[in-house]
Amino acid sequence: MADIKIPVVRNILQANDRLAAENRRKFEQAGIYVINLMSSPGAGKTSLLERTIEALAGRVRIAVIEGDIQSSYDAERIQSKGVQAVQINTDGGCHLDGNMIQIALESLDLAAVDFLIIENVGNLVCPAEFNLGEHDKVMILSVTEGDDKPLKYPLMFQTSSVLLVNKIDLLPYTNCDVSKIRERARQLNGNQQVFEISCRTGEGFDAWLGWIESKLSENGKLGAGKSPR
Ligand code: MG
Ligand code: ZN
């Protein structure tokens, strides 16, 4: 059975990669820098977006694609920040794919976007397998989830350019050892940038914003003439 199943999975991923490549061409044509934000449910993706949008407001034009199994609650939270937002409901599906992004892009005015953030469905497994056409994958792991997650979900750590260790304000109430997260993540991906943050208090946010700003500058989205925060 195994030799029947594996080619099917491979075909699905190949078809997805073609759509992701089409999305990427659209992003390049419109001059948009794109990240794919992934985490388990409740790790703080939408809270991270809210704080990041507030910090960059007025300096870069942001749009958000919100992926959720159901509801438009997160897209409403984001829209209230004054940025373009589209909700994708996967109706039970546990990840976003290239086709869903292609359809969502029809609802955005791409000419008015510099920075697109795609918030994936809360899940540490298959979102890492499906490219969406993004430039960078960014993952969040909250300290309440435990320091064993790199051992259990290696692909997510291997494919993400950035690991945000969130909720560090809660460290005194957990058994989580951040040095173990760092060491285990480093063994999987030596190029990954790790930032310890709290979306609640704002601790550590400057380092994360510094990374985003350097990416936007590289892509010509933050002009040299614009003053820093
Ligand atoms: Mg969310
Ligand atoms: Zn899935």
Side-chain angles (χ1 to χ4, degrees):
M1 287 301 282
D3 50 337
I4 294 170
K5 204 174 168 188
I6 289 165
V8 173
V9 173
R10 194 185 298 135
N11 289 345
I12 290 169
L13 289 175
Q14 279 173 355
N16 182 71
D17 279 345
R18 276 194 298 276
L19 292 167
E22 285 174 22
N23 293 341
R24 181 61 171 266
R25 273 194 295 277
K26 257 178 223 160
F27 298 146
E28 301 293 352
Q29 273 166 10
I32 304 174
Y33 172 68
V34 184
I35 65 171
N36 176 3
L37 183 61
M38 307 181 292
S39 79
S40 59
K45 291 185 296 304
T46 309
S47 301
L48 180 94
L49 286 188
E50 288 175 323
R51 238 181 213 279
T52 303
I53 289 166
E54 282 168 16
L56 295 173
R59 303 168 56 215
V60 59
R61 297 169 303 170
I62 302 174
V64 174
I65 296 176
E66 278 285 345
D68 280 296
I69 289 175
Q70 243 161 47
S71 91
S72 57
Y73 181 72
D74 282 352
E76 286 160 21
R77 269 172 74 180
I78 295 301
Q79 251 163 4
S80 74
K81 300 285 169 196
V83 304
Q84 292 192 66
V86 188
Q87 181 80 50
I88 298 175
N89 282 146
T90 60
D91 207 15
C94 49
H95 60 267
L96 296 179
D97 64 29
N99 185 49
M100 294 176 197
I101 298 304
Q102 207 157 71
I103 293 165
L105 289 178
E106 291 170 10
S107 305
L108 290 174
D109 176 9
L110 296 183
V113 179
D114 300 313
F115 179 26
L116 172 65
I117 307 170
I118 303 170
E119 182 182 327
N120 219 308
V121 178
N123 176 357
L124 282 179
V125 189
C126 38
E129 291 191 62
F130 287 81
N131 294 321
L132 306 176
E134 71 276 1
H135 295 88
D136 285 292
K137 291 182 167 71
V138 172
M139 68 170 295
I140 308 178
L141 178 69
S142 62
V143 298
T144 51
E145 295 170 74
D147 49 37
D148 58 348
K149 293 300 169 289
L151 304 174
K152 293 183 176 176
Y153 305 99
L155 187 65
M156 177 107 355
F157 291 82
Q158 283 160 345
T159 57
S160 296
S161 307
V162 172
L163 164 60
L164 296 167
V165 180
N166 189 23
K167 306 190 188 180
I168 53 167
D169 51 307
L170 298 181
L171 267 176
Y173 312 103
T174 72
N175 294 320
C176 180
D177 181 346
V178 175
S179 69
K180 280 189 184 154
I181 295 176
R182 282 183 174 273
E183 178 52 24
R184 287 165 177 166
R186 195 190 58 76
Q187 283 174 13
L188 292 167
N189 181 351
N191 295 320
Q192 192 176 50
Q193 299 267 335
V194 183
F195 303 116
E196 297 173 30
I197 61 166
S198 167
C199 290
R200 196 175 67 82
T201 67
E203 194 179 347
F205 240 72
D206 282 353
W208 155 244
L209 289 173
W211 185 86
I212 281 287
E213 286 167 2
S214 71
K215 284 289 178 176
L216 291 168
S217 299
E218 271 172 39
N219 288 274
K221 293 300 155 201
L222 278 177
K226 293 190 182 174
S227 56
R229 265 172 306 121

